[in-house]
């Protein structure tokens, strides 16, 4: 078997034991890697109903066949577990040297089980696994922890670590790596913290098995240069993802004031041009030649690496339009190890709930200094307010009552990314049916929708586009494990990916094979959901209620008096279900599951809930 090392490393923190487990060629071809591996392993090994922050949960780090290979943007890893935020399968990806180092150590994935007795650093070097004390950095932020690790092991090692957010079980705590890379929005950092696992350090010395290593090297080296040249020619990484902010503001798609407003006259102060002008450094993931991490100096003088999502949600959505203050909030999230999107949404929801009388408090939109204090309270779970904030938007809304859930900007418990879909039905659907909750990673249809379709259409073509994007983004890229930006931003052909895959595995896959894999992965995530929430309804695939509320419609601008219409959204959702082969609850039918080769998984899910 080429392309895979053929082994998974299983580590038990309770017993301080480990073993390398071989996996079959059939497993490799069925699940490929990354999200595919994680979703299958967690489905087979976790009983429904377990406490996500208990020792029974398992943390997965999963790589794909092209991970760590010198080719465009292959330096990503998927981190996954049962989510403490959403209560079912959760994952994320991040750029990290762990990708290459773990593959060189001889593993395609790592499973971490149990709970350590004391703060622990897990050190992996080829066949050696050590459980080392990390008390010295327990309680410290991710930057200090990273420095501590680099001082011990040098900068070339792969590192995953958590900050105070993960240690204290903040439900949207992330895992961090390198200078500015984060992943695992739905609380993967909290799962790591619940195991008293402060850091994972990996070093590998073996070659990654490839069917045609010389061919892959030639193609990969040339493509790295080509991607770099296209980026230079197009100038994409001058503003990187934040190039979209000015456009979102113009088309009434920017989240402002807890998504109450869709644009702001001061948005230009935090747009891509201003970010580029303030740039003091540029960062990127390993094997990336279009590095998108733009760092500025924040209000306190730290380097803070920003992108659109964190500027949109820690800036515009909190009515904060000073770039250095947005940088400060972002720096704190990074250091505490908190997801910037969920943190931004949670703070803005809190300000909105106070403004609407659902609770009392001393936080108002635009108050950057209080926002900084609140992030600290959340990361430390300090006092009642810190504890509420640490639980995320949905739990806060339920605690407040008074109808606050209507404007809690989340789907399935995961906070909405920075696109305001008051009147963008396709993107609202993309959030509604995103596999793990309202993540933009799954189906970023917004530019296609606003540039190529009628904005007020709820037709089947939008459902078809969401599925097409889910297959590409949430299925293929997350399972072969590669960053999607060369394709999205530079027009790098999708055909390159089966080409890389075939060079390393010796197989002969086409994009159609990738889509079948993607459909299998999406169906499996739905089965996870069904097992955890047997009373699932189609309402679970609805975006936040406030987008349907006429009283929340803009009073001026391009979408004045317009809002999503519930009956039409429901039709659009049904188009999605019909095209996917899901039933009226949004669950794959048994027939579809059998077609995807998931009969055994269907039988298992049927023990907990009805399949049609
Ligand atoms: Fe990482 Fe950005 Fe490069 Fe993607 S484009 S690999 S996110 S630095």
């Amino acid at each position: 078997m080429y392309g895979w090392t053929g082994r998974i490393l299983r580590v038990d923190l309770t017993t301080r034991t480990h073993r390398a487990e071989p996996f079959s060629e059939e497993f490799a071809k069925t699940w490929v890697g990354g999200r595919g591996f994680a979703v299958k392993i967690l489905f087979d090994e976790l009983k429904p109903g377990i406490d996500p922050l208990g020792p029974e949960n398992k943390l997965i780090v999963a790589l794909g066949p092209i991970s760590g290979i010198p080719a465009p943007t292959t330096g990503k890893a998927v981190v996954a577990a049962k989510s403490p935020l959403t209560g079912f399968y959760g994952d994320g990806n991040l750029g990290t040297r762990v990708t290459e180092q773990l593959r060189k150590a001889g593993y395609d994935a790592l499973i971490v089980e149990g709970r350590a007795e004391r703060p622990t650093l897990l050190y992996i070097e080829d066949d050696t696994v050590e459980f080392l004390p990390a008390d010295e950095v327990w309680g410290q932020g991710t930057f200090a922890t990273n420095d501590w690790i680099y001082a011990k092991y040098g900068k070339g090692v792969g590192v995953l670590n958590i900050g105070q957010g993960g240690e204290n079980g903040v439900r949207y705590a992330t895992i961090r790596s390198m200078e500015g890379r984060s992943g695992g929005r739905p609380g993967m950092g909290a799962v790591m913290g619940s195991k008293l696992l402060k850091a994972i350090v990996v070093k590998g010395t073996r070659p990654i098995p490839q069917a045609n290593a010389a061919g892959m090297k030639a193609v990969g080296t040339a493509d790295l240069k080509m991607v770099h040249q296209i980026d230079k020619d197009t100038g994409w990484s001058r503003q990187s993802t934040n190039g979209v902010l000015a456009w979102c503001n113009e088309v009434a798609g920017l989240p402002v004031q807890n998504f109450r407003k869709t644009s702001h006259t001061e948005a230009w102060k935090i747009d891509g041009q201003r970010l580029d002008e303030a740039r003091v450094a540029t960062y990127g993931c390993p094997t990336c030649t279009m590095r998108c991490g733009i760092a500025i100096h924040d209000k306190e003088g730290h380097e803070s690496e920003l992108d659109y999502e964190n500027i949109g949600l820690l800036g515009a959505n909190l009515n904060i339009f000073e770039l250095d203050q947005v940088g400060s909030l972002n720096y704190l999230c990074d250091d505490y190890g908190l997801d910037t999107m969920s943190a931004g949404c949670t703070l803005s929801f809190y300000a909105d709930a106070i403004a609407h009388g659902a609770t009392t408090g001393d936080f108002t939109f635009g108050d950057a200094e209080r926002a900084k204090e609140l992030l600290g309270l959340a990361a430390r779970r300090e006092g009642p307010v810190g504890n509420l904030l640490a639980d995320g938007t949905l739990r806060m809304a339920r605690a407040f009552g008074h109808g606050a859930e209507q404007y809690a900007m989340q789907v399935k418990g995961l906070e909405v990314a920075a696109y305001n879909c008051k009147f963008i039905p396709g993107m609202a659907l993309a959030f509604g049916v995103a596999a793990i909750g309202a993540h933009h990673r799954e189906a970023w249809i917004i530019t296609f929708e606003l540039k190529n379709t009628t904005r007020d259409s709820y037709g089947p073509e939008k459902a078809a586009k969401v599925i097409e994007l889910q297959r590409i983004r949430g299925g293929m890229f997350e399972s072969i494990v590669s960053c999607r930006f060369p394709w999205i931003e530079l027009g790098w052909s999708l055909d390159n990916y089966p080409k890389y895959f075939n060079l390393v595995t010796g197989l002969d896959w086409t994009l159609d094979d990738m889509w079948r894999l993607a459909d299998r992965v999406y169906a499996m995530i739905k089965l996870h959901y069904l097992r955890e929430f047997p009373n699932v309804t189609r309402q679970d695939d609805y975006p936040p209620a406030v987008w349907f509320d006429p009283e929340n419609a803009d009073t001026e601008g391009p979408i004045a008096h317009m809002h999503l219409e519930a009956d039409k959204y429901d039709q659009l959702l049904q188009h999605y279900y019909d095209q996917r082969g899901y039933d009226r609850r949004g669950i794959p039918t048994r027939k579809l599951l059998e077609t995807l080769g998931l009969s055994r998984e269907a039988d298992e899910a049927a023990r907990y809930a009805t399949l049609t």
Side-chain angles (χ1 to χ4, degrees):
M1 182 165 61
Y2 291 105
W4 293 272
T5 67
R7 299 193 315 167
I8 292 173
L9 178 63
R10 187 183 296 272
V11 171
D12 188 326
L13 292 168
T14 308
T15 57
R16 293 166 75 91
T17 56
H18 70 278
R19 64 177 183 272
E21 297 178 354
F23 58 80
S24 68
E25 195 167 342
E26 190 202 340
F27 175 83
K29 286 186 191 165
T30 308
W31 301 103
V32 174
R35 180 178 251 191
F37 275 13
V39 78
K40 173 64 173 159
I41 294 167
L42 291 173
F43 188 82
D44 284 352
E45 299 193 10
L46 295 188
K47 282 202 181 76
I50 62 150
D51 176 3
L53 297 177
E56 308 83 17
N57 201 0
K58 302 190 184 194
L59 176 72
I60 312 280
V61 181
L63 313 170
I66 69 166
S67 297
I69 302 287
T73 60
T74 57
K76 293 258 186 177
V78 167
V79 288
K82 178 174 177 179
S83 162
L85 188 65
T86 65
F88 70 110
Y89 174 84
D91 69 10
N93 75 51
L94 73 166
T96 171
R97 289 191 197 96
V98 165
T99 303
E100 184 186 357
Q101 296 301 323
L102 193 63
R103 297 258 285 158
K104 285 187 170 171
Y107 313 105
D108 293 309
L110 168 68
I111 304 173
V112 183
E113 306 179 339
R115 183 177 193 269
E117 262 185 12
R118 58 190 289 191
T120 295
L121 180 153
L122 180 66
Y123 181 76
I124 301 164
E125 183 170 346
D126 296 337
D127 294 330
T128 304
V129 175
E130 292 177 314
F131 301 83
L132 305 171
D135 311 69
E136 214 179 308
V137 281
W138 194 256
Q140 294 202 27
T142 65
F143 291 109
T145 305
N146 216 41
D147 288 347
W148 178 73
I149 291 167
Y150 282 170
K152 267 171 150 12
Y153 299 104
K155 279 196 169 184
V157 293
V159 178
L160 297 174
N161 72 71
I162 57 166
Q164 298 92 333
E167 292 175 10
N168 295 317
V170 178
R171 291 180 190 274
Y172 45 89
T174 53
I175 295 176
R176 299 263 304 154
S177 189
M178 300 171 69
E179 299 83 3
R181 325 251 73 81
S182 302
R185 286 193 62 200
M188 302 306 102
V191 174
M192 199 161 150
S194 71
K195 297 184 176 306
L196 293 191
L197 182 58
K198 181 68 175 172
I200 300 170
V201 177
V202 191
K203 204 170 160 186
T205 59
R206 301 158 170 147
I208 299 171
Q210 299 176 57
N212 183 352
M216 185 65 239
K217 191 173 174 194
V219 169
T221 311
D223 286 0
L224 280 164
K225 283 193 191 131
M226 219 181 304
V227 163
H228 180 64
Q229 192 57 47
I230 301 172
D231 180 46
K232 238 170 106 182
D233 294 345
T234 58
W236 176 74
S237 62
R238 294 304 305 171
Q239 299 186 12
S240 295
T241 56
N242 204 35
V244 83
L245 190 142
W247 179 77
C248 279
N249 193 48
E250 196 184 305
V251 300
L254 189 69
V256 178
Q257 202 173 309
N258 195 35
F259 290 78
R260 295 276 180 193
K261 298 182 178 167
T262 57
S263 62
H264 198 283
T265 52
E266 291 184 69
W268 64 273
K269 293 181 179 172
I270 55 171
D271 71 8
Q273 192 183 327
R274 257 37 65 176
L275 180 64
D276 184 32
E277 285 165 4
R279 179 195 303 256
V280 295
T282 304
Y283 294 102
C285 308
T287 74
C288 180
T289 50
M290 51 181 287
R291 299 190 308 157
C292 71
I294 302 175
I296 65 165
H297 280 146
D298 74 4
K299 186 85 175 167
E300 288 76 29
H302 309 108
E303 264 190 22
S304 177
E305 187 187 321
L306 291 162
D307 67 15
Y308 170 66
E309 294 298 335
N310 40 53
I311 294 178
L313 293 168
L314 291 169
N317 205 33
L318 283 166
N319 285 15
I320 295 171
F321 295 97
E322 296 147 89
L323 198 53
D324 59 352
Q325 289 284 36
V326 180
S328 295
L329 295 172
N330 180 69
Y331 174 85
L332 287 172
C333 284
D334 282 354
D335 199 29
Y336 292 137
L338 303 178
D339 174 51
T340 52
M341 293 182 244
S342 287
C345 277
T346 302
L347 288 180
S348 61
F349 169 76
Y350 183 48
D352 209 14
I354 293 169
H356 282 80
T359 188
T360 53
D362 58 354
F363 182 47
T364 53
F365 287 109
D367 186 349
E369 293 305 325
R370 182 63 182 149
K372 291 176 201 174
E373 291 168 5
L374 291 174
L375 284 177
L377 296 185
R380 295 186 294 273
R381 278 196 175 269
E382 199 175 308
V385 171
N387 265 304
L388 273 168
L389 291 168
D391 278 344
T393 308
L394 180 60
R395 284 176 176 80
M396 270 178 102
R398 288 180 176 160
F400 293 158
H402 299 286
E405 216 175 301
Q406 295 286 307
Y407 53 90
M409 302 309 293
Q410 55 76 38
V411 176
K412 299 183 184 69
L414 183 66
E415 285 76 10
V416 175
Y419 301 94
N420 198 340
C421 302
K422 258 190 200 188
F423 194 56
I424 313 178
M427 190 66 210
L429 176 71
F431 282 137
V433 298
I436 60 163
H439 205 310
H440 63 295
R441 178 180 47 151
E442 308 276 333
W444 193 66
I445 190 182
I446 184 169
T447 47
F448 170 86
E449 183 174 16
L450 296 193
K451 289 176 183 172
N452 302 293
T453 71
T454 315
R455 189 160 181 164
D456 62 0
S457 142
Y458 293 73
E461 72 287 352
K462 289 193 179 176
K465 191 70 184 176
V466 166
I467 294 170
E468 178 193 328
L469 293 172
Q470 287 182 332
R471 284 178 173 152
I472 298 169
R473 300 166 63 109
M476 181 180 77
F477 281 126
E478 293 298 316
S479 299
I480 61 171
V481 191
S482 174
C483 174
R484 58 196 182 268
F485 284 159
W487 162 68
I488 300 172
E489 307 293 355
L490 308 184
W492 191 243
S493 170
L494 284 179
D495 292 327
N496 285 304
Y497 296 94
K499 182 171 77 188
Y500 302 150
F501 178 84
N502 292 336
L503 279 167
V504 298
T505 61
L507 298 172
D508 190 20
W509 278 33
T510 63
L511 283 171
D512 282 340
D513 295 304
M514 296 291 175
W515 307 157
R516 188 171 155 78
L517 160 72
D519 289 351
R520 190 178 295 126
V521 168
Y522 270 77
M524 276 294 280
I525 297 177
K526 278 289 189 183
L527 291 186
H528 271 263
Y529 190 77
L530 182 69
R531 270 199 324 188
E532 297 288 353
F533 303 104
N535 298 322
V536 51
T537 73
R538 58 200 289 125
Q539 296 293 327
D540 296 6
D541 287 341
Y542 267 53
V546 74
W547 281 339
F548 297 101
D549 181 358
E551 288 184 16
N552 186 55
D554 288 5
T555 52
E556 53 188 31
I559 58 164
H561 312 298
M562 294 171 189
H563 56 87
L564 295 184
E565 292 179 55
D567 55 342
K568 290 185 180 172
Y569 179 84
D570 205 64
Q571 281 168 20
L572 179 59
L573 186 60
Q574 192 57 45
H575 289 313
Y576 175 85
Y577 291 164
D578 290 344
Q579 290 175 31
R580 274 250 177 241
Y582 291 0
D583 68 16
R584 290 192 59 77
R585 299 166 300 168
I587 298 301
T589 59
R590 184 173 275 279
K591 190 170 157 219
L592 173 67
L593 293 166
E594 283 168 3
T595 311
L596 293 169
L598 299 176
S599 304
R600 268 190 298 132
E601 289 77 6
D603 290 344
E604 160 62 17
R607 293 173 56 212
Y608 300 90
T610 318
L611 283 174
T612 56

